[in-house]
Amino acid sequence: MVGRRNLLLGASTLALVTYGGVVQAAEPDTVAVEEVIVTAQKRSENIQDVPLSIMAVSEKALEARGVEDVTDLERLVPNLRLDTISQAAGLTLRIRGFGASSNAAIDPSVAPYVDGVFIPRPGALLTSFLDVESVEILRGPQGTLFGRNATVGALSVRTHDPDLSGFGGQFALQASSHGGREGVAIVNLPVSDRFGLRFAAIGSSTDGFVENRLDGQTYGENSTVAGRVSAKWLITDNLTWTLRADYARTSGDGVVANPVDIATATPAQIGAFTFRLGGNTPTLANPPTTTLNQLIVDPNLTDRQTGLTSDLSWEFGEGYTLRLIGSSRDWSNQQSDGDVVFTPKDLLTRDAGFDSDSRSAEVQLISPEGALLDGRLDFVAGLYYFDEDYLISENLNLGSQYCSFVIGAAAPPLVPACNAFPKQNAATNVFTQSATSKAAYLQATFAVTPTIDLILGARQTEDEKSGGFVQTLANPTAALLRAPESIALDFSDSQPSWRANLSWHATDNVMAFVTYSTGYKSGGLNSAGGSAPLGARRLFNSELATDWELGVKSVLFDRRLLLNLTAYRTELDDFQERSFDGVSFIIRNAGSIRAQGVEVEGQVRPTSRISVDFGAAFLDSTFTANRLAPGLPACTGAVGSCPTTQDLTGRTPTFSPKWQANIGGQYTTGPFLGGFTATIRGDANYSSSIYSTNDLNPQGIVDEFTIYGGRITLTSPDNSWTLAAYGQNLADEQYFRMKFPQVLDAVFGVRVPATGATLMRGFVGTPRTVGLRLTKSF
């Protein structure tokens, strides 16, 4: 509680909760917050005129806050969380506590977009953060304009178009802790006054920070090469075509730190674990550490994606716009885990593959503002098509000690059979899915009076998915991990989404709004292998959202203060939840959730050289129905043990912190040494504790944490050179991001059937990182 009190005390001392360095600050000689333009409603608008809970992050704000990839955005936006797991493909976007991992066939709850194109697998975003012009984070259902997978929000990344006004660009070099190196090159080339090109490329690498005592090696090595070529052609005065082609490749070892959580373990559990490992126990530390003691066998990660986006825009009549947006994206992620039991013994490795090939097309008709009914009515209408072929594969390889250690403990008579059958590719599964989605939408804005607007929107979506799952065993003793299964699967659904919004412009700089909206996330197919055939349980239903929001947006005191506030209440039915049973994952419709809270953000600019920004979010989330949730990890249902299911109705769902907050301050000096200036910035980001396991195991609670960052930037007199020294997690906070039960915990004798407790592990946050960045603009 001390961390939250200190952070909120600092915010209250400044007497407001502001919009955050997420807004590009005005130039040092201007005492005003900047006007920010967004495209959340398919047209360019001042963010303060958009009746949504939305935050926009400008390019300069991204740089000032040290945002280098999509996962850093959570430091800027309350109620936004982004997590990665041991599989690099498993990026999860969460808004207001809700989200879904991309290393499964479940669709995202937060719809990710890059340049107006839906990205079906959020893991692809990890290499898409290049030459970014702005990022928009929309909270609450966005089903009318953003489609079926925006039940709790959307994240929209916009990259730079070619600028036809002149030649320019940027080069940057960066060096940081843990062997971090990065080079960026951006060149804007206007070929003529009607055609231009823009080239952006990045190369980055890190040596990692995961130390392994067993072999003396450092892991977490990663390197990325990515590039994008953009072309803009003004075919006529009214017809514009923008084309983008991108490529990215990431390689490394894919190893992350996930030590044992001894804070929730008993001495008996630690003793049993150590005994079973012959005294060669993994690192036991509290607080969590990035030092491991485990066998890591030839880990390898290769992530590749290519994309093509076309945006053809035709202006006709008296300001109407017809847009055709088409895209194709191919994403592939192949990872060989060094070991998935995370001990010094040679037990089990995994080879996993994810391949997504998607295409989309969207036609938009956008009227000019006030196009109809004597300037009182305008609209956005569209047709949308999307299809994806998705393949997930998994090969489990038994280590040299699997038969003697695992089978020897679980079923000793089967040890000879275990050794007689193949250990490589002992269990193999392949999941395939073909999905199509079609939609039509319309949103209209009607000026009821000169100061009151009514927005009504509707969207109808049809989804179809078909595929299959095949699991085979080359070694029968692998049945402890995976069961043979072969099944064909089909799913289809059709759902409407609605939006009604009433906004009142009390003054030119103050707007209040109330919104009712619904959202829809398609159901689908369970893709993971299990220790028992899932059969009909491989199908899960669609998730539906209903949301009410009440908000106020204001710019006050001669644009020195920007202050926005939103109160909301969201209800999710047939909530899709992905649960881990110690061996595998299964997606199920867990029941219903009610989430309600308040979000505030803003910016204050007391002088031309000082700006302060901050935001906060309060979240009260509860299961209104979840009666057949999985029991705690060690529950067996036998006499003397706890039941294998539990009723979690009335409990708080996972990843739902009651409080989140961020605060930042920035000071720019006057000229010195012939015209140089310096900008000094400090930031803090706080999150209260959360449950991180779907059984709401008390052992899975992740404690509150506060992360501090800072940056000092020296700018040359002509503004063409900058040198920045920066740091993140300056206090070197050691904390878990999420936890999970020890794999094969029963074999290690750490289960407590009477209480359901077991030994837990956790993914650790990034340690302190400092660096230098030199940038040349031209």
Side-chain angles (χ1 to χ4, degrees):
M1 293 297 292
V2 174
R4 174 166 65 90
R5 287 173 179 164
N6 286 344
L7 188 59
L8 295 183
L9 178 60
S12 62
T13 301
L14 291 165
L16 73 148
V17 184
T18 67
Y19 190 58
V22 298
V23 179
Q24 178 180 337
E27 293 302 315
D29 59 351
T30 304
V31 187
V33 295
E34 186 191 23
E35 179 178 297
V36 176
I37 303 301
V38 297
T39 58
Q41 299 190 114
K42 306 297 186 184
R43 64 172 81 240
S44 297
E45 299 172 282
N46 184 335
I47 191 172
Q48 293 301 104
D49 293 328
V50 178
L52 294 170
S53 180
I54 176 176
M55 295 189 72
V57 190
S58 70
E59 180 182 26
K60 286 190 175 181
L62 292 170
E63 181 180 354
R65 298 289 290 270
V67 175
E68 297 184 357
D69 64 43
V70 68
T71 61
D72 292 330
L73 288 172
E74 69 172 52
R75 294 191 278 106
L76 283 67
V77 183
N79 265 347
L80 174 69
R81 182 182 173 100
L82 300 99
D83 286 301
T84 55
I85 57 174
S86 58
Q87 285 186 320
L91 174 67
T92 303
L93 307 179
R94 292 187 174 91
I95 287 180
R96 297 173 178 171
F98 304 117
S101 177
S102 62
N103 66 334
I106 188 173
D107 291 329
S109 302
V110 179
Y113 279 78
V114 176
D115 294 319
V117 173
F118 175 64
I119 306 297
R121 304 298 154 192
L125 286 176
L126 291 172
T127 52
S128 299
F129 220 70
L130 170 65
D131 195 23
V132 172
E133 181 179 14
S134 66
V135 181
E136 298 172 20
I137 299 94
L138 294 82
R139 294 170 295 206
Q142 306 297 325
T144 304
L145 295 181
F146 284 88
R148 62 191 175 95
N149 294 325
T151 47
V152 295
L155 189 154
S156 178
V157 178
R158 285 193 297 159
T159 65
H160 279 282
D161 285 345
D163 182 357
L164 303 184
S165 65
F167 176 76
Q170 183 183 96
F171 296 113
L173 293 174
Q174 177 173 297
S176 60
S177 307
H178 320 300
R181 300 165 293 275
E182 181 178 287
V184 177
I186 300 170
V187 176
N188 186 83
L189 179 63
V191 179
S192 71
D193 60 353
R194 288 189 171 273
F195 183 77
L197 296 170
R198 189 176 181 93
F199 304 90
I202 185 173
S204 65
S205 64
T206 179
D207 295 336
F209 52 79
V210 180
E211 304 291 338
N212 188 20
R213 289 195 291 113
L214 191 68
D215 58 16
Q217 300 295 312
T218 299
Y219 291 93
E221 179 270 331
N222 179 284
S223 63
T224 296
V225 176
R228 181 186 299 109
V229 179
S230 304
K232 185 174 183 178
W233 182 18
L234 303 183
I235 303 172
T236 70
D237 290 342
N238 299 320
L239 185 63
T240 303
W241 186 25
T242 304
L243 186 68
R244 291 178 172 88
D246 64 83
Y247 171 82
R249 178 183 175 88
T250 296
S251 59
D253 56 43
V255 175
V256 296
N258 49 15
V260 171
D261 176 26
I262 66 168
T264 62
T266 66
Q269 287 175 311
I270 297 297
F273 196 50
T274 303
F275 175 78
R276 290 289 289 144
L277 292 173
N280 193 11
T281 183
T283 300
L284 303 175
N286 186 25
T289 177
T290 57
T291 299
L292 305 177
N293 184 35
Q294 64 190 53
L295 185 69
I296 301 177
V297 183
D298 298 326
N300 182 66
L301 165 67
T302 301
D303 185 286
R304 179 191 58 80
Q305 68 170 306
T306 57
L308 182 65
T309 301
S310 171
D311 187 346
L312 186 65
S313 178
W314 175 41
E315 296 183 5
F316 65 97
E318 297 182 0
Y320 286 85
T321 301
L322 183 68
R323 292 182 67 190
L324 174 60
I325 304 173
S327 76
S328 174
R329 182 157 299 276
D330 180 23
W331 173 59
S332 173
N333 181 285
Q334 308 294 322
Q335 184 167 348
S336 296
D337 295 306
D339 185 271
V340 292
V341 186
F342 315 117
T343 73
K345 291 189 175 294
D346 184 15
L347 300 178
L348 184 68
T349 63
R350 174 180 60 187
D351 302 320
F354 304 86
D355 290 279
S356 169
D357 185 9
S358 63
R359 296 149 295 275
S360 67
E362 184 172 4
V363 179
Q364 299 175 359
L365 177 60
I366 306 170
S367 76
E369 293 188 20
L372 304 171
L373 299 181
D374 296 324
R376 300 178 67 183
L377 179 67
D378 54 66
F379 66 87
V380 176
L383 299 173
Y384 180 76
Y385 173 83
F386 168 83
D387 71 66
E388 180 195 30
D389 295 317
Y390 193 30
L391 183 146
I392 301 176
S393 62
E394 177 193 72
N395 297 330
L396 295 182
N397 309 302
L398 309 183
S400 61
Q401 295 174 287
Y402 176 87
C403 296
S404 59
F405 186 83
V406 177
I407 301 302
L414 296 180
V415 171
C418 180
N419 285 312
F421 284 90
K423 294 186 176 66
Q424 193 73 12
N425 299 326
T428 300
N429 69 56
V430 175
F431 170 84
T432 58
Q433 174 181 279
S434 294
T436 61
S437 181
K438 305 170 186 176
Y441 61 87
L442 172 65
Q443 179 169 295
T445 302
F446 176 69
V448 180
T449 73
T451 59
I452 298 177
D453 291 334
L454 173 66
I455 298 176
L456 296 176
R459 185 184 188 109
Q460 182 67 35
T461 304
E462 294 183 359
D463 285 304
E464 294 183 359
K465 298 179 179 180
S466 62
F469 177 85
V470 177
Q471 173 81 63
T472 59
L473 301 184
N475 190 314
T477 63
L480 182 68
L481 310 168
R482 298 288 185 262
E485 185 175 4
S486 180
I487 188 172
L489 301 164
D490 288 284
F491 176 87
S492 63
D493 198 2
S494 178
Q495 293 285 344
S497 297
W498 310 99
R499 182 186 180 206
N501 172 275
L502 192 66
S503 60
W504 172 45
H505 290 264
T507 71
D508 290 341
N509 294 313
V510 178
M511 179 186 68
F513 66 88
V514 59
T515 301
Y516 169 81
S517 60
T518 67
Y520 156 67
K521 185 171 80 167
S522 173
L525 321 177
N526 264 296
S527 58
S531 55
L534 295 182
R537 292 190 299 157
R538 287 206 172 272
L539 295 177
F540 54 91
N541 294 326
S542 300
E543 178 181 288
L544 303 177
T546 302
D547 181 73
W548 286 93
E549 301 201 357
L550 180 65
V552 177
K553 294 190 169 187
S554 60
V555 180
L556 308 170
F557 305 118
D558 295 326
R559 298 192 61 81
R560 291 173 181 261
L561 168 64
L562 185 151
L563 180 61
N564 296 340
L565 181 148
T566 303
Y568 63 90
R569 180 186 176 98
T570 304
E571 296 179 355
L572 290 185
D573 292 320
D574 278 332
F575 173 59
Q576 296 170 3
E577 185 173 68
R578 189 165 180 252
S579 303
F580 182 63
D581 64 5
V583 176
S584 59
F585 288 91
I586 181 173
I587 302 164
R588 68 184 189 96
N589 294 105
S592 302
I593 293 179
R594 185 270 298 142
Q596 58 190 12
V598 178
E599 296 157 345
V600 287
E601 55 261 352
Q603 183 183 28
V604 61
R605 197 170 177 84
T607 74
S608 63
R609 304 195 179 280
I610 297 175
S611 64
V612 178
D613 49 75
F614 46 97
F618 169 76
L619 173 61
D620 173 24
S621 192
T622 302
F623 279 115
T624 54
N626 188 3
R627 294 180 175 83
L628 292 175
L632 297 180
C635 295
T636 65
V639 176
S641 178
C642 45
T644 57
T645 63
Q646 56 179 324
D647 185 353
L648 296 181
T649 302
R651 300 282 300 279
T652 301
T654 56
F655 300 103
S656 299
K658 189 169 289 291
W659 291 98
Q660 285 182 289
N662 59 267
I663 183 171
Q666 184 169 301
Y667 172 72
T668 300
T669 70
F672 62 92
L673 296 179
F676 283 89
T677 59
T679 299
I680 304 169
R681 181 176 181 87
D683 295 285
N685 176 265
Y686 168 80
S687 176
S688 60
S689 61
I690 60 169
Y691 286 102
S692 66
T693 59
N694 298 115
D695 52 17
L696 302 190
N697 184 351
Q699 294 180 286
I701 293 176
V702 171
D703 293 334
E704 65 176 358
F705 60 84
T706 303
I707 303 300
Y708 300 96
R711 193 177 189 94
I712 301 175
T713 303
L714 182 67
T715 303
S716 65
D718 62 358
N719 293 320
S720 67
W721 289 92
T722 63
L723 176 64
Y726 66 90
Q728 294 297 336
N729 194 5
L730 290 174
D732 203 19
E733 178 95 355
Q734 296 171 291
Y735 64 104
F736 283 120
R737 294 280 305 182
M738 66 175 72
K739 299 181 186 179
F740 62 95
Q742 167 66 47
V743 179
L744 297 176
D745 54 352
V747 173
F748 292 99
V750 295
R751 288 188 168 188
V752 184
T755 64
T758 189
L759 197 67
M760 302 293 289
R761 288 183 173 272
F763 296 110
V764 178
T766 303
R768 180 193 295 121
T769 302
V770 297
L772 290 173
R773 186 178 184 89
L774 178 66
T775 303
K776 167 63 178 176
S777 300
F778 57 92

